[in-house]
Amino acid sequence: MSINLSTVIAGVRFPSCLMNAAGACCVTQEELEALGRSSAGAIVTKSMTPHPRTGNPSPRYYSFEGGSINSMGLPNLGYPAYARLIPELKRFGKPIIASIAGFRSQDFVEAAQVINTANPDLMEINLSCPNIPGEPQIGYDFEGSKRLLKELRSIVQVPMGVKLPPYFDPAHHEAMAEVLNQVGVAFVSVINSLGNGLVVDPEKELVVIKPKGGFGGIGGKIIKPVALANVRAFWKLFQGQVPIIGTGGVVTGTDVFEHLLCGASAVQIGTTLVEEGLGAFERIEKELQGIFEKKGYQSPVDCRGALREL
Ligand code: RRO
């Protein structure tokens, strides 16, 4: 039986359903090229802003037993640099997803216009950066999200999706699904890190990262149930008609399998990639292949959304 881990999102074929999450190992040209050479199914860029940014002061990333906390503060090369890089990255023969961020709608609009002409395979609008002091996450403002996405929708010609923060109430899943239905998005990427958590070092009686008094986005193993719930909620609300990229808590092939069962068409990896390096793709792919073999699945679409309920 031949197993094929490729997947299709918005008409774009990905050679593998695994890829990096925006932010993980994807800021510099070197990092993006390394993703190109790796067995990742796509190259996802760091979220980009109009001007280059060094980000928040260090320490700004910390890993612990159950995951990670970060307050990177959008370090990136600025969209003009990524616009130049995207056509070069095409030589790796895998889709490129450009992640767009900003502080005001004009930032998103400018970046979207320029990046659109660089022609990435998909554009992921980041509505969920939790780490800019004084800037709320746009994805928690449903009217604001609608206004911004409608404006972007009229500019962006490549398939445009959104990266959402986690929601914790069905009313919020419904409100965002309504927005996305009205705008018409090509895919949904859930979830970004769980915003504004706090990790404490009891020995030192101290926070573990510097910005925002130690508050930061939580990623990794411990956020998996929240990620799966968000994938499942949007899968159901869209009745499987809008492709979902699942992100959150992926350490093993079993974690990927769980995301697929909940309805994901592909899965992004953040904390594990930062901790383990790009070899994680091969390891997790092998583990997923082993699960498919045992269960008799040939491709992600065979089990997508197939989670049974009691
Ligand atoms: O750069 C960051 O601090 C960051 C971003 Br833009 C994001 O979307 N999610 C995250 O956990 N960190």
Side-chain angles (χ1 to χ4, degrees), residues 21-89:
C25 310
C26 60
V27 176
T28 64
Q29 176 170 355
E30 293 70 32
E31 286 177 318
L32 292 164
E33 288 176 346
L35 283 166
R37 290 189 298 271
S38 78
S39 51
I43 304 173
V44 185
T45 72
K46 172 67 184 171
S47 295
M48 56 190 86
T49 52
H51 301 289
R53 288 174 54 86
T54 51
N56 289 339
S58 294
R60 57 192 190 179
Y61 176 90
Y62 178 86
S63 79
F64 55 96
E65 175 62 23
S68 69
I69 181 167
N70 88 83
S71 184
M72 305 303 288
L74 266 166
N76 76 97
L77 305 177
Y79 72 73
Y82 295 109
R84 284 191 297 275
L85 278 172
I86 287 166
E88 291 176 29
L89 292 170

